[in-house]
Amino acid sequence: MKAVVTVIGRDAVGIIAGICTCLAGRGVNVLDINQTTLQDLFVMNMLVELGENDFAALTDALNAEGERLGVNVRMQREDIFDAMHRI
Amino acid sequence: MKFEVGKNEILETQNMIDAQHLDIRTVTMGVALTDCADPDPARAAEKIYDKITRCAGELVPTCEAISREMGIPIINKRISVTPIALVAAASETEDYTPFARALDRAAKTCGCDFIGGFSALVQKGCTTADLRLIRSFPQALAETDLVCSSVNVGSTRAGINMDAVRLLGEVVKQTADLTRDNQSMGCAKLVVFCNAVEDNPFMAGAFHGVGEAECAVNVGISGPGVVFHALQKLEKDAPLDLVAETVKRTAFKITRMGELIAREASKRLNVPFGIVDLSLAPTPAVGDSVARILESMGLDRCGTHGTTAALALLNDAVKKGGVMASSSVGGLSGAFIPVSEDEGMIAAAKSGALTLDKLEAMTCVCSVGLDMIAVPGDTPASTLAAILADEAAIGMVNGKTTAVRLIPAYGKQLGDEIELGGLLGTAPIMRVHHHGAEEFINRGGRIPAPMHSFRN
């Protein structure tokens, strides 16, 4: 299953490293990344392949990592964006 | 493998959910109960409880899992059942409240928010069971928490059953009296329809029609806030066809999301997908109001001249966007205009800009009817029945669904308001005409079905 991970928060050193380490430790492959900073705001979207991971458990792990880094992390299935924006 | 959608589209979707109140208003599972009929009423109630809990036991956890994965709130999980008058008819009893208690208990076991279908279809006439069911409304609605009831009193093909309308005027009043300690709340769970639809997922009027399958998943989506924000981005002098186009595009997006959720729920629950009901269903939260959409088109206040035209545009554009997005649009699809559940409607009613008469005119062009309207507690039953009859006539002649949820709030007068709490909101008491209609209502009988030609 593919999902979109969105990370938003105040820019700081180590956000990408923290999130990617969290994903890599669970065997989640990152397929694509979009990242920008708007003034001090860090915004990143990642397309990931969950593999055998349980969705709820991975969400909890990402939320915990987000809390440690002081950023907001959410993971949503890719389908919702496809349904809304592609015919 | 690359992103198929752009960064801005991802943020747009998330912004709709976070800031514009986009949600799945309800996932409603329809369950057929015709096989639960039994001469022994206790046995029938037991079969009803067993079947509902068997079919809908996984509804709430499944919806919660889908909500978490998609990142979209699913506000209500509900159940609709076969109109109980049809199921209870076989039972040898005059008191139908035990059936309501069985429904209530089943909904609570499943963890659902509401259960609809304590209902009767009497557009042409009432069976003995229909009359027993309607007479049991006041007690049943006072005793239960989650049970919603409805009666279809008219249709374009059958006309209006005015005997049922007269009876319901009295029943609505009794329901208000019996639930007087709770703001006459019972009336918020009682809907009177004309041309009721069989697959509506919204409460209080949901029931699982007799033409439906054993079980079905119907989804109701919301989104007044999303439409409002989309219109805010238009220039103030943008022509109305551009307004309609913007509403249509927005409706398309939210319907697509609703269909995705419906199909996912259907797959996981192993229950056929029924319909997506694309209704702009407001909540009392600021920024989630249909009235404010109408005002954003350029009206000083919802309820003033021009409101009916603006609502006609909105309702039609919502349907067009929805139909393009899904082949299974059904239910009531359009715009709801409940007073108590809409922050802008409440404000308009309090300021005097929005009257009952104007609301009635608005119901000619929107998807339902006079919804969640509180009137003085001393309003005569015949006047309540006359309001029901007027609204049913609009539905009958125009070939559309109309519904009425009136709350004759016990002990309340003009200038008062009732606090219903949660999504039901706050209802200011609205003025009704003081001239009576008692003689007209007491005639009873039937208003014949209208002509289908000479549509002038």
Side-chain angles (χ1 to χ4, degrees), chain A residues 1-6 8 31-36 43 45-47 55-56 59-60 74-87, chain B residues 1-14 16-18 22 65 68-72 252-254 256-257 260-261 264 267-268 324:
Chain A
M1 183 190 294
K2 284 203 276 288
V4 173
V5 177
T6 308
I8 300 178
L31 305 171
D32 198 2
I33 297 185
N34 264 323
Q35 190 263 311
T36 50
V43 183
N45 291 312
M46 309 169 95
L47 184 66
F55 199 100
T59 304
D60 290 344
R74 74 164 87 181
M75 182 167 71
Q76 292 164 279
R77 274 172 51 182
E78 188 197 23
D79 314 25
I80 187 166
F81 304 106
D82 282 346
M84 243 184 179
H85 299 286
R86 295 288 174 272
I87 296 179
Chain B
M1 179 63 68
K2 294 268 181 196
F3 272 112
E4 300 229 337
V5 288
K7 181 174 57 184
N8 291 339
E9 290 167 328
I10 291 173
L11 291 177
E12 181 192 346
T13 299
Q14 293 177 344
M16 283 180 182
I17 297 166
D18 295 345
L22 177 61
R68 195 163 49 233
E69 289 175 20
M70 300 294 181
I72 173 109
F252 173 84
K253 288 180 184 173
I254 50 189
R256 292 276 290 185
M257 190 212 39
L260 173 69
I261 301 292
E264 189 71 24
K267 193 169 78 187
R268 291 195 195 187
M324 171 76 184

Side-chain angles (χ1 to χ4, degrees), chain B residues 251-252 255 278 317-329:
Chain B
F252 173 84
T255 309
L278 172 59
V318 164
K319 286 182 193 167
K320 284 174 178 161
V323 166
M324 171 76 184
S326 167
S327 306
S328 306
V329 169

